[in-house]
């Protein structure tokens, strides 16, 4: 483990996968590693990309990665898809364009997924960002595939949030309902060759400004892109970079980092509580109570109150 | 409260809204009420309707309600939308056809939503079903608006799960990724006038049978409907009714009810743990730890471990 940390802090990306696997397994060694690298995890620019399914996020991330590489920046990409049964490298097989980067030592790609788990990723993904940061990666892009709580949690741990939508009826409304309007630093209308793109961009701009989400130090831009044709990608990378600089110049990066750490702590605590609960369910301690619940002698909600009043049942 | 329970058990639906409000508020009286009515909460047929956004679930539920009323059955409808900012009656204003039922004393409609909450509804919705059941409602339809964990949890507490999709690229894949294939008792391809509907129905049938989800006592039907034109709705109501009868005849209803109660208990326990965590965050006990986390002195994940080892911090 000592060796693993040394290699990581030396900038050896080969050390990353094993550490991420320890994190994903919930191995106690991962805690130690996180503590050892704590002082070295604030250098990278963390970008989050989110939006409804089908918005073309993957293609955009791939195009952004290529653009950042042109600027000689190293890039870490985490693809977080809580609903996918695939983890590790599997899902990336679908990402044809990303294959261009597979042999590039300046790009690290990892897919993180847990089928049916109740959001363990909202604690693991931020730690994974710290690991990449400690390895000296310049830019970390976290792409989340959905619009659930896990994805929102993760977006609270990045510096710049890019929300991607497509010009389709319902997409904007779904985005707002999912609470994405409140967290976007940059809006992207992707697949901008489709009818209604300009209109949607205008509507979004009006909504953002009406909602007074603009701050005195940052005006949320609404960009139009065609990820698949590489159109507007340079502008997107530039806008996100400008957001990061502005955060720093306005003296707000430290405040945002403090918020990030708080979000990360909350997510980790919540997930470990749930983990403890899951383990307790497999123990004998709850058996009698569960039996009474299943046979209808004890209302489920009353049983829950009882267990909380006797926390030893959860040990 | 005594009076409220008496009225409820007398079949007075007017008692329902106040009890649901107590439940939503997490009022301890709600626990008492649930315990008082526990013996009277197994009569109704509980139907769950789920599927991706835009599948036309609301329209189908409205058409099913009308069909069930024709058969002189009383109907309770719970619309669960965790991402919606609206609760109570508000959202129902959008549901034009549902207005027909507003003055019908044989129909009870309630919209349940919590903006940004981490799923409190997976414990409340099943309790709400029990309340409607205790009032003597014949059929309870729970419509969930999304495909997240909360919605899956709720589907584990109904007798018959209807999964609605539309013939659109990606819809079926999204459905499978969300784990809906595993829980459907009846599949519906809605908006069946659209191109590709028949093909999608065939594909779904193949997938369901290939995945050997068919049981020896039930073959999962794949129906085609046009909710908006009322086409196929009679067949849908018939199929769901047949599922319920088959469950009962096969002696499987009791087993399913036991599973439901177990799911309900797990959801309630999980949510109360999270609730306790949220309250602790607002207390002074965690202040010093949070400060260390925010300033980067303590890695968030390490802080979480520390708190779990000292559960008094959560009191």
């Amino acid at each position: 483990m000592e060796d693993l940390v040394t290699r990581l802090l030396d900038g050896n990306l080969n050390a990353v996968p094993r550490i991420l696997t320890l994190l994903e397994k919930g191995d106690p060694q991962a805690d130690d590693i996180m503590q050892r690298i704590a002082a070295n995890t604030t250098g990278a620019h963390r970008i989050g990309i989110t939006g409804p399914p089908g918005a073309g996020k993957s293609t955009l991330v791939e195009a952004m990665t290529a653009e950042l590489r042109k600027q000689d920046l190293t890039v870490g990409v985490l693809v977080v898809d809580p609903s996918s049964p695939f983890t590790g490298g599997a899902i990336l097989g679908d990402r044809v364009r990303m294959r261009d980067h597979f042999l590039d030592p300046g790009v690290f790609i990892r897919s993180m997924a847990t089928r049916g788990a109740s959001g363990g990723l909202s604690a693991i993904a931020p730690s994974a960002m710290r690991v990449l940061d400690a390895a000296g990666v310049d830019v970390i892009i976290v792409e989340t595939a959905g619009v659930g709580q896990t994805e929102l949690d993760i977006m609270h741990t990045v510096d710049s949030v890019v929300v991607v939508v497509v010009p389709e009826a319902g997409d904007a409304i779904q985005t707002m309902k999912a609470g994405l309007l409140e967290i976007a630093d940059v809006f992207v209308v992707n697949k901008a060759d489709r009818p209604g793109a300009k209109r949607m961009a205008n509507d979004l701009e009006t909504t953002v400004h009406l909602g007074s989400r603009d701050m005195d130090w940052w005006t949320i831009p609404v960009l139009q892109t065609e990820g698949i044709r590489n159109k507007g990608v340079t502008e997107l990378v530039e806008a996100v970079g400008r957001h990061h600089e502005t955060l720093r110049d306005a003296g707000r990066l430290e405040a945002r980092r403090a918020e990030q750490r708080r979000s990360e702590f909350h997510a980790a605590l919540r997930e470990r509580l749930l983990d403890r609960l899951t383990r307790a369910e497999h123990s004998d301690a709850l058996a009698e109570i569960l039996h009474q619940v299943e046979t209808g002698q004890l209302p489920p909600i009353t049983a829950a109150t009882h267990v909380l009043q006797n926390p030893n049942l959860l040990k």
Side-chain angles (χ1 to χ4, degrees), chain A residues 25-273:
Chain A
K25 278 195 203 150
D27 191 303
Q29 285 185 74
D31 267 15
D32 294 343
I33 294 174
M34 294 316 294
Q35 206 147 10
R36 298 277 311 284
I37 65 173
N40 306 74
T41 60
T42 55
H45 178 200
R46 302 173 177 192
I47 303 171
I49 311 268
T50 190
K57 297 182 291 294
S58 320
T59 313
L60 266 187
V61 168
E62 288 152 17
M64 288 173 77
T65 303
E67 178 69 25
L68 290 160
R69 290 301 292 144
K70 273 191 219 157
Q71 302 174 16
D72 249 342
L73 295 166
T74 53
V75 183
V77 177
L78 298 172
V79 182
V80 179
D81 186 352
S83 68
S84 169
F86 303 112
T87 195
I91 205 177
L92 297 172
D94 302 334
R95 302 165 73 92
V96 179
R97 297 177 69 194
M98 216 58 184
R99 286 185 191 154
D100 301 347
H101 304 299
F102 269 168
L103 297 175
D104 178 350
V107 178
F108 177 90
I109 308 164
R110 174 93 166 196
S111 163
M112 312 185 90
T114 44
R115 184 170 184 79
S118 52
L121 291 172
S122 18
I124 296 169
S127 295
M129 285 193 258
R130 293 188 180 283
V131 172
L132 284 168
D133 201 331
V137 163
D138 296 313
V139 179
I140 300 166
I141 305 182
V142 185
E143 175 196 333
T144 59
V147 288
Q149 187 58 42
T150 305
E151 292 86 340
L152 270 183
D153 284 347
I154 293 173
M155 288 300 132
H156 282 125
T157 65
V158 301
D159 303 324
S160 309
V161 176
V162 179
V163 175
V164 184
V165 291
V166 286
E168 247 165 46
D171 226 29
I173 290 169
Q174 212 190 318
T175 308
M176 284 179 226
K177 277 177 64 174
L180 297 184
L181 200 66
E182 289 88 335
I183 61 164
D185 296 305
V186 174
F187 260 111
V188 173
V189 178
N190 194 29
K191 307 189 182 177
D193 53 324
R194 291 197 187 170
K198 197 170 242 172
R199 168 107 197 254
M200 190 176 200
N202 286 340
D203 288 355
L204 271 176
E205 232 160 52
T206 311
T207 312
V208 167
H209 302 329
L210 265 186
S212 35
R213 267 278 285 129
D214 280 333
M215 296 131 266
D216 51 1
W217 53 276
W218 179 250
T219 304
I220 296 163
V222 181
L223 306 174
Q224 295 180 51
T225 58
E226 288 176 54
I228 206 135
R229 282 183 199 84
N230 222 26
K231 275 194 195 171
V233 175
T234 311
E235 291 79 358
L236 171 56
V237 168
E238 191 270 331
V240 175
R242 199 156 34 83
H243 178 257
H244 192 227
E245 271 167 43
T246 312
L247 259 184
R248 187 152 35 197
D249 292 349
R252 298 191 174 264
L253 190 57
E254 255 323 296
R256 195 172 267 224
R257 290 278 159 107
E259 277 168 40
Q260 286 171 13
R261 293 185 189 112
R262 179 191 272 260
S263 293
E264 225 182 298
F265 166 67
H266 288 175
L269 192 49
R270 204 173 59 220
E271 284 173 6
R272 292 189 177 200
L273 274 174

